[in-house]
Amino acid sequence: MQKTKDSLPITLKSFQIENYAGIIKTGLKDLPGDAQWIFLTGENGFGKTSVLRGVAVGLYPYELQRDGGGVSIEIVKDGISIKYDSRKIFDSKPHTGVDKILPYLEQFAAYGASRIEIAHDASSNEAADKSGRLYSLFRSDGVLLSVEAEIIKWRHDAPTYVANLKNALLQVLDKNIGDIYVDVSDNAKVKYVELDNAGEPLPPVTFGQLASAYRSIIAMSGDLLIRFYKIYPKDTPPAEFAGIVLIDELDVHMHPKMQRRIPGILSGVFPKMQFIASIHSPIPILGAPENAVFLKVLRTKEEGITLHNLDTVQVRNLTPNTLLSSPIFDFDEIINDQHKKGKERLVTQDSYQEVVFNKMLDEKLKALAEAANIDPKLISK
């Protein structure tokens, strides 16, 4: 949390991970303090999730998978190297006195690839157990803190808090949802009003009736809001939240249009947050805010999982095709194997509208050629 000019209030400056989940030794130093997004790319099974988990353990080492063994954590504090076997502490809150030995980041949240379930009954022991801060990053059956329960509980006693929750969710959903309200005529259920392509409201639906992409966004954003409102006063605008958020498979469930917009949307709603996310698609990179950092995860038998900074790749000037063939994704070839090379013209226009226009133009030229007794093939060439 080193504050420098133009840096975010809380950022990850450097880290090193050793002997953990396929990682022999890797890390990075001198990460820029103004990088609101750090993207991790790499092939399936190469260790993106392992890197995120390693970072998560370092930031919040109190809550780990209970049946997966311990992690030996070494943290340098005040110039003294401290080793701690974290098998002894896996509660959602630090034990009394432990935080004096092992520092942790309170302004922190982490999310695994499965994040479409919210804890509707947050009072149950199972829900409490599965909604821990790191649970969903380590397991697929995690449930997130219920923003619906917060809206229902506080709608009368803390209207500003509820308004902040609803407005933040609507901003993140980016005009796909027009309203969120409590339907008192239906057992005080939270209802969502989706919008069609023309912006017209559709019949209200419950959370379970929403598309998985919307449920994922609501569940994660709602959980994030609740956790940070446990730190900040309930009348604080979410734009004032500062901290670090880890997201595994940011682009899961999302349409390409939403994949492109989600980094910018989250940056706008939480401008003081730093997001560290793994991705599989090049689309989120097209919407990456300024000063984003791109890391590539590689894996070999000799070196294990390693991280590499792709600071030499200028992604802002790349199209999806050039992104795919760049060192970020390493496509050897982006042309369909079924393409008849030498017989079919390859479509290389910048947009589909240009493709349609050029096709119409080509057909018109062929018609004019035939009318003038000119071989249409000469026109095509």
Coordinates of all heavy atoms in Angstrom, one line a residue, residues 4 44 107 110 117 131 173 215 233 298 373:
T4 N 2.0 6.8 -4.0 CA 2.8 7.7 -4.8 C 1.8 8.6 -5.7 O 0.6 8.4 -5.7 CB 3.7 6.9 -5.8 OG1 2.9 6.0 -6.6 CG2 4.7 6.0 -5.0
N44 N -5.5 -22.9 -20.8 CA -6.2 -23.7 -19.8 C -5.2 -24.6 -19.1 O -4.4 -25.3 -19.8 CB -7.3 -24.5 -20.4 CG -8.5 -23.7 -20.8 OD1 -8.7 -22.6 -20.3 ND2 -9.2 -24.2 -21.8
Q107 N -9.5 -4.5 3.1 CA -10.2 -3.9 1.9 C -9.9 -4.8 0.7 O -9.2 -4.5 -0.2 CB -9.7 -2.5 1.6 CG -10.0 -1.5 2.8 CD -8.8 -1.3 3.7 OE1 -8.1 -2.2 4.0 NE2 -8.6 -0.1 4.1
A110 N -12.4 -11.6 -3.2 CA -11.9 -12.5 -4.2 C -13.1 -13.3 -4.7 O -13.9 -13.7 -3.9 CB -10.8 -13.4 -3.6
E117 N -24.5 -17.8 -7.5 CA -25.4 -18.1 -6.3 C -25.2 -17.1 -5.2 O -24.1 -16.8 -4.8 CB -25.1 -19.6 -5.9 CG -25.4 -20.6 -6.9 CD -26.8 -20.7 -7.3 OE1 -27.7 -20.4 -6.5 OE2 -27.1 -21.1 -8.4
S131 N -19.8 -18.7 2.3 CA -19.7 -17.3 1.8 C -18.5 -16.6 2.4 O -18.5 -15.4 2.4 CB -21.0 -16.5 2.1 OG -21.2 -16.5 3.5
L173 N -24.8 -3.1 -14.3 CA -25.6 -3.8 -15.3 C -25.8 -3.0 -16.6 O -26.3 -3.5 -17.6 CB -27.0 -4.1 -14.7 CG -26.9 -5.2 -13.6 CD1 -28.2 -5.2 -12.7 CD2 -26.7 -6.6 -14.2
R215 N -27.0 -12.6 -13.4 CA -26.9 -13.1 -12.0 C -25.5 -13.1 -11.5 O -25.2 -12.8 -10.4 CB -27.4 -14.6 -12.0 CG -28.9 -14.7 -12.0 CD -29.4 -16.1 -11.7 NE -29.2 -17.0 -12.9 CZ -28.9 -18.3 -12.8 NH1 -28.8 -18.9 -11.7 NH2 -28.7 -18.9 -13.9
P233 N -18.8 3.6 6.2 CA -20.1 4.0 6.7 C -21.1 3.8 5.5 O -20.8 3.9 4.4 CB -20.0 5.5 7.0 CG -18.6 5.7 7.3 CD -17.8 4.8 6.4
L298 N 2.7 -18.9 -17.9 CA 3.3 -20.0 -18.7 C 3.5 -21.2 -17.7 O 3.6 -21.0 -16.5 CB 4.5 -19.6 -19.4 CG 4.4 -18.5 -20.4 CD1 5.8 -18.2 -21.0 CD2 3.5 -19.0 -21.6
N373 N -20.8 -6.6 -71.3 CA -20.1 -7.7 -71.9 C -18.6 -7.9 -71.5 O -17.7 -8.2 -72.3 CB -20.2 -7.6 -73.4 CG -21.6 -7.8 -73.9 OD1 -22.4 -8.6 -73.4 ND2 -21.9 -6.9 -74.9

